mmCIF file with all atom_site columns, all heavy atoms in Angstrom:
data_model
loop_
_atom_site.group_PDB
_atom_site.id
_atom_site.type_symbol
_atom_site.label_atom_id
_atom_site.label_alt_id
_atom_site.label_comp_id
_atom_site.label_asym_id
_atom_site.label_entity_id
_atom_site.label_seq_id
_atom_site.pdbx_PDB_ins_code
_atom_site.Cartn_x
_atom_site.Cartn_y
_atom_site.Cartn_z
_atom_site.occupancy
_atom_site.B_iso_or_equiv
_atom_site.pdbx_formal_charge
_atom_site.auth_seq_id
_atom_site.auth_comp_id
_atom_site.auth_asym_id
_atom_site.auth_atom_id
_atom_site.pdbx_PDB_model_num
ATOM 1   N N   . PHE A 1 1  ? 94.853  64.918 110.689 1.00 0.00 ? 5  PHE A N   1
ATOM 2   C CA  . PHE A 1 1  ? 94.387  66.303 110.594 1.00 0.00 ? 5  PHE A CA  1
ATOM 3   C C   . PHE A 1 1  ? 95.162  67.176 111.570 1.00 0.00 ? 5  PHE A C   1
ATOM 4   O O   . PHE A 1 1  ? 95.298  66.839 112.740 1.00 0.00 ? 5  PHE A O   1
ATOM 5   C CB  . PHE A 1 1  ? 92.885  66.337 110.889 1.00 0.00 ? 5  PHE A CB  1
ATOM 6   C CG  . PHE A 1 1  ? 92.271  67.710 110.927 1.00 0.00 ? 5  PHE A CG  1
ATOM 7   C CD1 . PHE A 1 1  ? 92.517  68.629 109.919 1.00 0.00 ? 5  PHE A CD1 1
ATOM 8   C CD2 . PHE A 1 1  ? 91.425  68.073 111.967 1.00 0.00 ? 5  PHE A CD2 1
ATOM 9   C CE1 . PHE A 1 1  ? 91.943  69.900 109.951 1.00 0.00 ? 5  PHE A CE1 1
ATOM 10  C CE2 . PHE A 1 1  ? 90.840  69.326 112.007 1.00 0.00 ? 5  PHE A CE2 1
ATOM 11  C CZ  . PHE A 1 1  ? 91.095  70.245 110.995 1.00 0.00 ? 5  PHE A CZ  1
ATOM 12  N N   . ARG A 1 2  ? 95.644  68.314 111.089 1.00 0.00 ? 6  ARG A N   1
ATOM 13  C CA  . ARG A 1 2  ? 96.316  69.307 111.938 1.00 0.00 ? 6  ARG A CA  1
ATOM 14  C C   . ARG A 1 2  ? 95.518  70.597 111.959 1.00 0.00 ? 6  ARG A C   1
ATOM 15  O O   . ARG A 1 2  ? 95.128  71.134 110.924 1.00 0.00 ? 6  ARG A O   1
ATOM 16  C CB  . ARG A 1 2  ? 97.709  69.612 111.411 1.00 0.00 ? 6  ARG A CB  1
ATOM 17  C CG  . ARG A 1 2  ? 98.383  70.804 112.115 1.00 0.00 ? 6  ARG A CG  1
ATOM 18  C CD  . ARG A 1 2  ? 98.343  72.100 111.320 1.00 0.00 ? 6  ARG A CD  1
ATOM 19  N NE  . ARG A 1 2  ? 98.606  73.260 112.176 1.00 0.00 ? 6  ARG A NE  1
ATOM 20  C CZ  . ARG A 1 2  ? 99.073  74.414 111.741 1.00 0.00 ? 6  ARG A CZ  1
ATOM 21  N NH1 . ARG A 1 2  ? 99.348  74.596 110.477 1.00 0.00 ? 6  ARG A NH1 1
ATOM 22  N NH2 . ARG A 1 2  ? 99.236  75.425 112.592 1.00 0.00 ? 6  ARG A NH2 1
ATOM 23  N N   . SER A 1 3  ? 95.285  71.117 113.159 1.00 0.00 ? 7  SER A N   1
ATOM 24  C CA  . SER A 1 3  ? 94.704  72.442 113.308 1.00 0.00 ? 7  SER A CA  1
ATOM 25  C C   . SER A 1 3  ? 94.803  72.838 114.772 1.00 0.00 ? 7  SER A C   1
ATOM 26  O O   . SER A 1 3  ? 95.411  72.151 115.583 1.00 0.00 ? 7  SER A O   1
ATOM 27  C CB  . SER A 1 3  ? 93.240  72.466 112.838 1.00 0.00 ? 7  SER A CB  1
ATOM 28  O OG  . SER A 1 3  ? 92.799  73.802 112.689 1.00 0.00 ? 7  SER A OG  1
ATOM 29  N N   . GLY A 1 4  ? 94.158  73.955 115.102 1.00 0.00 ? 8  GLY A N   1
ATOM 30  C CA  . GLY A 1 4  ? 94.012  74.348 116.497 1.00 0.00 ? 8  GLY A CA  1
ATOM 31  C C   . GLY A 1 4  ? 95.259  74.940 117.112 1.00 0.00 ? 8  GLY A C   1
ATOM 32  O O   . GLY A 1 4  ? 96.183  75.372 116.439 1.00 0.00 ? 8  GLY A O   1
ATOM 33  N N   . GLY A 1 5  ? 95.248  74.948 118.448 1.00 0.00 ? 9  GLY A N   1
ATOM 34  C CA  . GLY A 1 5  ? 96.334  75.510 119.230 1.00 0.00 ? 9  GLY A CA  1
ATOM 35  C C   . GLY A 1 5  ? 95.805  76.471 120.272 1.00 0.00 ? 9  GLY A C   1
ATOM 36  O O   . GLY A 1 5  ? 94.616  76.759 120.337 1.00 0.00 ? 9  GLY A O   1
ATOM 37  N N   . GLY A 1 6  ? 96.726  76.978 121.104 1.00 0.00 ? 10 GLY A N   1
ATOM 38  C CA  . GLY A 1 6  ? 96.357  77.957 122.128 1.00 0.00 ? 10 GLY A CA  1
ATOM 39  C C   . GLY A 1 6  ? 96.434  79.350 121.555 1.00 0.00 ? 10 GLY A C   1
ATOM 40  O O   . GLY A 1 6  ? 97.261  80.174 121.969 1.00 0.00 ? 10 GLY A O   1
ATOM 41  N N   . LEU A 1 7  ? 95.586  79.662 120.598 1.00 0.00 ? 11 LEU A N   1
ATOM 42  C CA  . LEU A 1 7  ? 95.699  80.875 119.796 1.00 0.00 ? 11 LEU A CA  1
ATOM 43  C C   . LEU A 1 7  ? 95.012  82.059 120.463 1.00 0.00 ? 11 LEU A C   1
ATOM 44  O O   . LEU A 1 7  ? 93.917  81.939 121.021 1.00 0.00 ? 11 LEU A O   1
ATOM 45  C CB  . LEU A 1 7  ? 95.094  80.646 118.413 1.00 0.00 ? 11 LEU A CB  1
ATOM 46  C CG  . LEU A 1 7  ? 95.578  79.398 117.661 1.00 0.00 ? 11 LEU A CG  1
ATOM 47  C CD1 . LEU A 1 7  ? 94.910  79.319 116.297 1.00 0.00 ? 11 LEU A CD1 1
ATOM 48  C CD2 . LEU A 1 7  ? 97.081  79.381 117.541 1.00 0.00 ? 11 LEU A CD2 1
ATOM 49  N N   . THR A 1 8  ? 95.646  83.225 120.366 1.00 0.00 ? 12 THR A N   1
ATOM 50  C CA  . THR A 1 8  ? 95.077  84.450 120.909 1.00 0.00 ? 12 THR A CA  1
ATOM 51  C C   . THR A 1 8  ? 95.733  85.658 120.258 1.00 0.00 ? 12 THR A C   1
ATOM 52  O O   . THR A 1 8  ? 96.889  85.596 119.827 1.00 0.00 ? 12 THR A O   1
ATOM 53  C CB  . THR A 1 8  ? 95.280  84.538 122.441 1.00 0.00 ? 12 THR A CB  1
ATOM 54  O OG1 . THR A 1 8  ? 94.768  85.773 122.928 1.00 0.00 ? 12 THR A OG1 1
ATOM 55  C CG2 . THR A 1 8  ? 96.758  84.433 122.815 1.00 0.00 ? 12 THR A CG2 1
ATOM 56  N N   . GLY A 1 9  ? 94.984  86.742 120.189 1.00 0.00 ? 13 GLY A N   1
ATOM 57  C CA  . GLY A 1 9  ? 95.543  88.014 119.736 1.00 0.00 ? 13 GLY A CA  1
ATOM 58  C C   . GLY A 1 9  ? 95.994  88.895 120.883 1.00 0.00 ? 13 GLY A C   1
ATOM 59  O O   . GLY A 1 9  ? 96.467  90.016 120.652 1.00 0.00 ? 13 GLY A O   1
ATOM 60  N N   . ALA A 1 10 ? 95.871  88.407 122.116 1.00 0.00 ? 14 ALA A N   1
ATOM 61  C CA  . ALA A 1 10 ? 96.206  89.205 123.285 1.00 0.00 ? 14 ALA A CA  1
ATOM 62  C C   . ALA A 1 10 ? 97.693  89.533 123.326 1.00 0.00 ? 14 ALA A C   1
ATOM 63  O O   . ALA A 1 10 ? 98.535  88.743 122.897 1.00 0.00 ? 14 ALA A O   1
ATOM 64  C CB  . ALA A 1 10 ? 95.802  88.467 124.565 1.00 0.00 ? 14 ALA A CB  1
ATOM 65  N N   . LYS A 1 11 ? 98.003  90.705 123.894 1.00 0.00 ? 15 LYS A N   1
ATOM 66  C CA  . LYS A 1 11 ? 99.393  91.144 124.017 1.00 0.00 ? 15 LYS A CA  1
ATOM 67  C C   . LYS A 1 11 ? 100.054 90.593 125.269 1.00 0.00 ? 15 LYS A C   1
ATOM 68  O O   . LYS A 1 11 ? 101.284 90.555 125.361 1.00 0.00 ? 15 LYS A O   1
ATOM 69  C CB  . LYS A 1 11 ? 99.469  92.677 124.043 1.00 0.00 ? 15 LYS A CB  1
ATOM 70  C CG  . LYS A 1 11 ? 98.605  93.393 123.006 1.00 0.00 ? 15 LYS A CG  1
ATOM 71  C CD  . LYS A 1 11 ? 98.868  92.920 121.586 1.00 0.00 ? 15 LYS A CD  1
ATOM 72  C CE  . LYS A 1 11 ? 97.999  93.674 120.589 1.00 0.00 ? 15 LYS A CE  1
ATOM 73  N NZ  . LYS A 1 11 ? 96.573  93.293 120.635 1.00 0.00 ? 15 LYS A NZ  1
ATOM 74  N N   . LEU A 1 12 ? 99.243  90.198 126.238 1.00 0.00 ? 16 LEU A N   1
ATOM 75  C CA  . LEU A 1 12 ? 99.733  89.678 127.518 1.00 0.00 ? 16 LEU A CA  1
ATOM 76  C C   . LEU A 1 12 ? 99.008  88.372 127.831 1.00 0.00 ? 16 LEU A C   1
ATOM 77  O O   . LEU A 1 12 ? 97.913  88.130 127.307 1.00 0.00 ? 16 LEU A O   1
ATOM 78  C CB  . LEU A 1 12 ? 99.456  90.681 128.646 1.00 0.00 ? 16 LEU A CB  1
ATOM 79  C CG  . LEU A 1 12 ? 100.132 92.050 128.560 1.00 0.00 ? 16 LEU A CG  1
ATOM 80  C CD1 . LEU A 1 12 ? 99.537  92.989 129.615 1.00 0.00 ? 16 LEU A CD1 1
ATOM 81  C CD2 . LEU A 1 12 ? 101.629 91.922 128.754 1.00 0.00 ? 16 LEU A CD2 1
ATOM 82  N N   . PRO A 1 13 ? 99.564  87.550 128.718 1.00 0.00 ? 17 PRO A N   1
ATOM 83  C CA  . PRO A 1 13 ? 98.826  86.360 129.164 1.00 0.00 ? 17 PRO A CA  1
ATOM 84  C C   . PRO A 1 13 ? 97.742  86.754 130.172 1.00 0.00 ? 17 PRO A C   1
ATOM 85  O O   . PRO A 1 13 ? 97.835  86.504 131.371 1.00 0.00 ? 17 PRO A O   1
ATOM 86  C CB  . PRO A 1 13 ? 99.925  85.490 129.797 1.00 0.00 ? 17 PRO A CB  1
ATOM 87  C CG  . PRO A 1 13 ? 100.997 86.428 130.194 1.00 0.00 ? 17 PRO A CG  1
ATOM 88  C CD  . PRO A 1 13 ? 100.948 87.580 129.240 1.00 0.00 ? 17 PRO A CD  1
ATOM 89  N N   . ASP A 1 14 ? 96.681  87.391 129.639 1.00 0.00 ? 18 ASP A N   1
ATOM 90  C CA  . ASP A 1 14 ? 95.641  87.985 130.474 1.00 0.00 ? 18 ASP A CA  1
ATOM 91  C C   . ASP A 1 14 ? 94.300  87.301 130.222 1.00 0.00 ? 18 ASP A C   1
ATOM 92  O O   . ASP A 1 14 ? 94.252  86.196 129.669 1.00 0.00 ? 18 ASP A O   1
ATOM 93  C CB  . ASP A 1 14 ? 95.554  89.494 130.211 1.00 0.00 ? 18 ASP A CB  1
ATOM 94  C CG  . ASP A 1 14 ? 95.317  89.824 128.730 1.00 0.00 ? 18 ASP A CG  1
ATOM 95  O OD1 . ASP A 1 14 ? 94.994  88.898 127.950 1.00 0.00 ? 18 ASP A OD1 1
ATOM 96  O OD2 . ASP A 1 14 ? 95.450  90.999 128.356 1.00 0.00 ? 18 ASP A OD2 1
ATOM 97  N N   . ALA A 1 15 ? 93.211  87.964 130.615 1.00 0.00 ? 19 ALA A N   1
ATOM 98  C CA  . ALA A 1 15 ? 91.881  87.361 130.456 1.00 0.00 ? 19 ALA A CA  1
ATOM 99  C C   . ALA A 1 15 ? 91.545  87.115 128.989 1.00 0.00 ? 19 ALA A C   1
ATOM 100 O O   . ALA A 1 15 ? 90.992  86.071 128.642 1.00 0.00 ? 19 ALA A O   1
ATOM 101 C CB  . ALA A 1 15 ? 90.825  88.252 131.104 1.00 0.00 ? 19 ALA A CB  1
ATOM 102 N N   . GLN A 1 16 ? 91.871  88.081 128.114 1.00 0.00 ? 20 GLN A N   1
ATOM 103 C CA  . GLN A 1 16 ? 91.622  87.862 126.689 1.00 0.00 ? 20 GLN A CA  1
ATOM 104 C C   . GLN A 1 16 ? 92.357  86.628 126.194 1.00 0.00 ? 20 GLN A C   1
ATOM 105 O O   . GLN A 1 16 ? 91.792  85.790 125.480 1.00 0.00 ? 20 GLN A O   1
ATOM 106 C CB  . GLN A 1 16 ? 92.068  89.079 125.871 1.00 0.00 ? 20 GLN A CB  1
ATOM 107 C CG  . GLN A 1 16 ? 91.889  88.886 124.352 1.00 0.00 ? 20 GLN A CG  1
ATOM 108 C CD  . GLN A 1 16 ? 92.440  90.045 123.538 1.00 0.00 ? 20 GLN A CD  1
ATOM 109 O OE1 . GLN A 1 16 ? 92.697  91.129 124.063 1.00 0.00 ? 20 GLN A OE1 1
ATOM 110 N NE2 . GLN A 1 16 ? 92.645  89.823 122.252 1.00 0.00 ? 20 GLN A NE2 1
ATOM 111 N N   . ALA A 1 17 ? 93.610  86.495 126.578 1.00 0.00 ? 21 ALA A N   1
ATOM 112 C CA  . ALA A 1 17 ? 94.384  85.326 126.181 1.00 0.00 ? 21 ALA A CA  1
ATOM 113 C C   . ALA A 1 17 ? 93.734  84.049 126.685 1.00 0.00 ? 21 ALA A C   1
ATOM 114 O O   . ALA A 1 17 ? 93.671  83.039 125.965 1.00 0.00 ? 21 ALA A O   1
ATOM 115 C CB  . ALA A 1 17 ? 95.812  85.439 126.714 1.00 0.00 ? 21 ALA A CB  1
ATOM 116 N N   . GLY A 1 18 ? 93.244  84.067 127.922 1.00 0.00 ? 22 GLY A N   1
ATOM 117 C CA  . GLY A 1 18 ? 92.615  82.877 128.483 1.00 0.00 ? 22 GLY A CA  1
ATOM 118 C C   . GLY A 1 18 ? 91.358  82.474 127.742 1.00 0.00 ? 22 GLY A C   1
ATOM 119 O O   . GLY A 1 18 ? 91.169  81.295 127.413 1.00 0.00 ? 22 GLY A O   1
ATOM 120 N N   . TYR A 1 19 ? 90.481  83.455 127.477 1.00 0.00 ? 23 TYR A N   1
ATOM 121 C CA  . TYR A 1 19 ? 89.234  83.145 126.780 1.00 0.00 ? 23 TYR A CA  1
ATOM 122 C C   . TYR A 1 19 ? 89.512  82.590 125.374 1.00 0.00 ? 23 TYR A C   1
ATOM 123 O O   . TYR A 1 19 ? 88.975  81.556 124.971 1.00 0.00 ? 23 TYR A O   1
ATOM 124 C CB  . TYR A 1 19 ? 88.367  84.405 126.648 1.00 0.00 ? 23 TYR A CB  1
ATOM 125 C CG  . TYR A 1 19 ? 87.699  84.853 127.922 1.00 0.00 ? 23 TYR A CG  1
ATOM 126 C CD1 . TYR A 1 19 ? 87.788  86.184 128.346 1.00 0.00 ? 23 TYR A CD1 1
ATOM 127 C CD2 . TYR A 1 19 ? 86.949  83.975 128.702 1.00 0.00 ? 23 TYR A CD2 1
ATOM 128 C CE1 . TYR A 1 19 ? 87.173  86.612 129.505 1.00 0.00 ? 23 TYR A CE1 1
ATOM 129 C CE2 . TYR A 1 19 ? 86.327  84.396 129.863 1.00 0.00 ? 23 TYR A CE2 1
ATOM 130 C CZ  . TYR A 1 19 ? 86.443  85.708 130.261 1.00 0.00 ? 23 TYR A CZ  1
ATOM 131 O OH  . TYR A 1 19 ? 85.827  86.141 131.410 1.00 0.00 ? 23 TYR A OH  1
ATOM 132 N N   . GLU A 1 20 ? 90.338  83.315 124.607 1.00 0.00 ? 24 GLU A N   1
ATOM 133 C CA  . GLU A 1 20 ? 90.572  82.918 123.223 1.00 0.00 ? 24 GLU A CA  1
ATOM 134 C C   . GLU A 1 20 ? 91.308  81.584 123.140 1.00 0.00 ? 24 GLU A C   1
ATOM 135 O O   . GLU A 1 20 ? 91.003  80.745 122.291 1.00 0.00 ? 24 GLU A O   1
ATOM 136 C CB  . GLU A 1 20 ? 91.348  84.020 122.503 1.00 0.00 ? 24 GLU A CB  1
ATOM 137 C CG  . GLU A 1 20 ? 90.532  85.292 122.325 1.00 0.00 ? 24 GLU A CG  1
ATOM 138 C CD  . GLU A 1 20 ? 91.311  86.441 121.711 1.00 0.00 ? 24 GLU A CD  1
ATOM 139 O OE1 . GLU A 1 20 ? 92.548  86.367 121.645 1.00 0.00 ? 24 GLU A OE1 1
ATOM 140 O OE2 . GLU A 1 20 ? 90.658  87.430 121.287 1.00 0.00 ? 24 GLU A OE2 1
ATOM 141 N N   . THR A 1 21 ? 92.263  81.382 124.028 1.00 0.00 ? 25 THR A N   1
ATOM 142 C CA  . THR A 1 21 ? 92.993  80.111 124.050 1.00 0.00 ? 25 THR A CA  1
ATOM 143 C C   . THR A 1 21 ? 92.056  78.959 124.368 1.00 0.00 ? 25 THR A C   1
ATOM 144 O O   . THR A 1 21 ? 92.102  77.904 123.722 1.00 0.00 ? 25 THR A O   1
ATOM 145 C CB  . THR A 1 21 ? 94.137  80.177 125.073 1.00 0.00 ? 25 THR A CB  1
ATOM 146 O OG1 . THR A 1 21 ? 95.106  81.133 124.638 1.00 0.00 ? 25 THR A OG1 1
ATOM 147 C CG2 . THR A 1 21 ? 94.812  78.822 125.245 1.00 0.00 ? 25 THR A CG2 1
ATOM 148 N N   . ALA A 1 22 ? 91.203  79.133 125.372 1.00 0.00 ? 26 ALA A N   1
ATOM 149 C CA  . ALA A 1 22 ? 90.271  78.067 125.741 1.00 0.00 ? 26 ALA A CA  1
ATOM 150 C C   . ALA A 1 22 ? 89.350  77.720 124.579 1.00 0.00 ? 26 ALA A C   1
ATOM 151 O O   . ALA A 1 22 ? 89.074  76.541 124.311 1.00 0.00 ? 26 ALA A O   1
ATOM 152 C CB  . ALA A 1 22 ? 89.462  78.470 126.962 1.00 0.00 ? 26 ALA A CB  1
ATOM 153 N N   . ASN A 1 23 ? 88.875  78.745 123.862 1.00 0.00 ? 27 ASN A N   1
ATOM 154 C CA  . ASN A 1 23 ? 87.991  78.491 122.722 1.00 0.00 ? 27 ASN A CA  1
ATOM 155 C C   . ASN A 1 23 ? 88.680  77.651 121.656 1.00 0.00 ? 27 ASN A C   1
ATOM 156 O O   . ASN A 1 23 ? 88.105  76.702 121.109 1.00 0.00 ? 27 ASN A O   1
ATOM 157 C CB  . ASN A 1 23 ? 87.529  79.816 122.110 1.00 0.00 ? 27 ASN A CB  1
ATOM 158 C CG  . ASN A 1 23 ? 86.501  80.530 122.962 1.00 0.00 ? 27 ASN A CG  1
ATOM 159 O OD1 . ASN A 1 23 ? 85.918  79.941 123.874 1.00 0.00 ? 27 ASN A OD1 1
ATOM 160 N ND2 . ASN A 1 23 ? 86.292  81.810 122.697 1.00 0.00 ? 27 ASN A ND2 1
ATOM 161 N N   . THR A 1 24 ? 89.937  77.979 121.334 1.00 0.00 ? 28 THR A N   1
ATOM 162 C CA  . THR A 1 24 ? 90.606  77.246 120.265 1.00 0.00 ? 28 THR A CA  1
ATOM 163 C C   . THR A 1 24 ? 91.029  75.851 120.714 1.00 0.00 ? 28 THR A C   1
ATOM 164 O O   . THR A 1 24 ? 90.962  74.893 119.938 1.00 0.00 ? 28 THR A O   1
ATOM 165 C CB  . THR A 1 24 ? 91.826  78.028 119.747 1.00 0.00 ? 28 THR A CB  1
ATOM 166 O OG1 . THR A 1 24 ? 92.711  78.329 120.833 1.00 0.00 ? 28 THR A OG1 1
ATOM 167 C CG2 . THR A 1 24 ? 91.400  79.334 119.101 1.00 0.00 ? 28 THR A CG2 1
ATOM 168 N N   . LEU A 1 25 ? 91.458  75.715 121.971 1.00 0.00 ? 29 LEU A N   1
ATOM 169 C CA  . LEU A 1 25 ? 91.831  74.387 122.457 1.00 0.00 ? 29 LEU A CA  1
ATOM 170 C C   . LEU A 1 25 ? 90.632  73.448 122.468 1.00 0.00 ? 29 LEU A C   1
ATOM 171 O O   . LEU A 1 25 ? 90.728  72.284 122.057 1.00 0.00 ? 29 LEU A O   1
ATOM 172 C CB  . LEU A 1 25 ? 92.433  74.478 123.863 1.00 0.00 ? 29 LEU A CB  1
ATOM 173 C CG  . LEU A 1 25 ? 93.817  75.116 123.983 1.00 0.00 ? 29 LEU A CG  1
ATOM 174 C CD1 . LEU A 1 25 ? 94.234  75.175 125.451 1.00 0.00 ? 29 LEU A CD1 1
ATOM 175 C CD2 . LEU A 1 25 ? 94.859  74.366 123.177 1.00 0.00 ? 29 LEU A CD2 1
ATOM 176 N N   . ASN A 1 26 ? 89.491  73.934 122.944 1.00 0.00 ? 30 ASN A N   1
ATOM 177 C CA  . ASN A 1 26 ? 88.309  73.081 123.021 1.00 0.00 ? 30 ASN A CA  1
ATOM 178 C C   . ASN A 1 26 ? 87.779  72.721 121.634 1.00 0.00 ? 30 ASN A C   1
ATOM 179 O O   . ASN A 1 26 ? 87.329  71.597 121.413 1.00 0.00 ? 30 ASN A O   1
ATOM 180 C CB  . ASN A 1 26 ? 87.215  73.764 123.846 1.00 0.00 ? 30 ASN A CB  1
ATOM 181 C CG  . ASN A 1 26 ? 87.538  73.759 125.325 1.00 0.00 ? 30 ASN A CG  1
ATOM 182 O OD1 . ASN A 1 26 ? 88.109  72.810 125.833 1.00 0.00 ? 30 ASN A OD1 1
ATOM 183 N ND2 . ASN A 1 26 ? 87.182  74.822 126.026 1.00 0.00 ? 30 ASN A ND2 1
#
């Protein structure tokens, strides 16, 4: 099975990027 990743819609490696990435990785 393939899915997931450190996905985010954030424009910068900022708090939004951190939250969204953590959600998809977990």
Side-chain angles (χ1 to χ4, degrees):
F5 176 48
R6 171 259 162 156
S7 194
L11 309 181
T12 177
K15 315 306 181 288
L16 297 169
D18 56 12
Q20 177 185 344
Y23 286 130
E24 292 175 346
T25 294
N27 286 345
T28 55
L29 290 178
N30 287 324

